[in-house]
Amino acid sequence: MRFSGMTIFALAVALAPAAAFAQQPPAQPPAQPPAGQQPPAQQPPAAAQPPAQPQAPQGRFFTSDAGMIFNVIKPDHTADFEMVMAKVKEALAKSADPKRKAQAASWKVFKGVEPAQGNALYIFFADPAVKDADYTISKILAEAFPSEVQDLWKKYVDAYAAGQNLANLQLIMNMAGTPAAGGK
């Protein structure tokens, strides 16, 4: 399944209302802290910290053949957002992990030409999605840039005007004539 940039943007505009009900929609900018740490403002004082509890794995995973993540970015922070995404691209390229290589091969970042209620709309499009790979930006950055991840993470989070929405996509029809899953 391959789409042109215009097709992706049209699909994103059509799915944007549905994306508000996606599986993992943070109400705030993405809340996962870099390198598995809580942001300083949320850390309780050392004496008050409870014993460590096992936590379910968190992250950004696609469970279908393709997926999109919608990112609403402040118009005056697009340069920072794009700089961080360039570092993500670099991190994926540097990685020896086959999952990260597969992510790099199928992950595209689109920017809406028209403003989205005064903000910029960026769409991460994974086709095919690497189903067992985590697309969490902070984790990818921490793997490649452990000494820079805090600064990169701050720029990334500060760029958000609204939360991030993930949409898993199921191919139901391929207009090119090649049979899709289910034979349509």
Side-chain angles (χ1 to χ4, degrees):
M1 171 169 60
R2 300 287 178 234
F3 296 103
S4 71
M6 190 56 157
T7 304
I8 297 302
F9 186 70
L11 181 61
V13 170
L15 288 175
F21 302 102
Q23 289 181 348
Q24 300 175 19
Q28 301 285 322
Q32 72 269 15
Q37 301 171 6
Q38 290 182 330
Q42 296 177 2
Q43 272 183 336
Q49 289 183 350
Q53 299 283 328
Q55 295 182 358
Q58 296 180 4
R60 291 292 199 195
F61 294 90
F62 292 113
T63 59
S64 60
D65 296 330
M68 298 169 70
I69 299 177
F70 300 84
N71 305 276
V72 181
I73 303 300
K74 298 172 191 168
D76 58 338
H77 285 71
T78 58
D80 284 344
F81 182 82
E82 291 180 18
M83 180 275 300
V84 172
M85 293 313 300
K87 294 296 272 188
V88 170
K89 179 179 179 177
E90 183 181 342
L92 293 171
K94 288 172 56 168
S95 179
D97 183 344
K99 290 178 190 175
R100 294 293 189 219
K101 294 290 187 196
Q103 285 176 293
S106 66
W107 185 348
K108 294 175 179 61
V109 179
F110 292 90
K111 180 180 181 183
V113 176
E114 297 82 11
Q117 297 179 341
N119 295 302
L121 176 64
Y122 286 83
I123 300 159
F124 302 164
F125 185 67
D127 179 23
V130 182
K131 293 179 186 174
D132 57 345
D134 191 347
Y135 285 78
T136 304
I137 299 299
S138 61
K139 290 179 183 176
I140 296 168
L141 290 170
E143 291 169 8
F145 307 108
S147 64
E148 298 174 56
V149 69
Q150 292 289 343
D151 186 47
L152 292 168
W153 180 248
K154 181 172 178 6
K155 289 179 190 304
Y156 180 76
V157 170
D158 288 349
Y160 277 81
Q164 189 182 62
N165 293 303
L166 183 142
N168 282 289
L169 306 175
Q170 178 184 9
L171 179 64
I172 61 163
M173 188 176 302
N174 184 337
M175 300 302 189
T178 309
K184 294 181 183 179

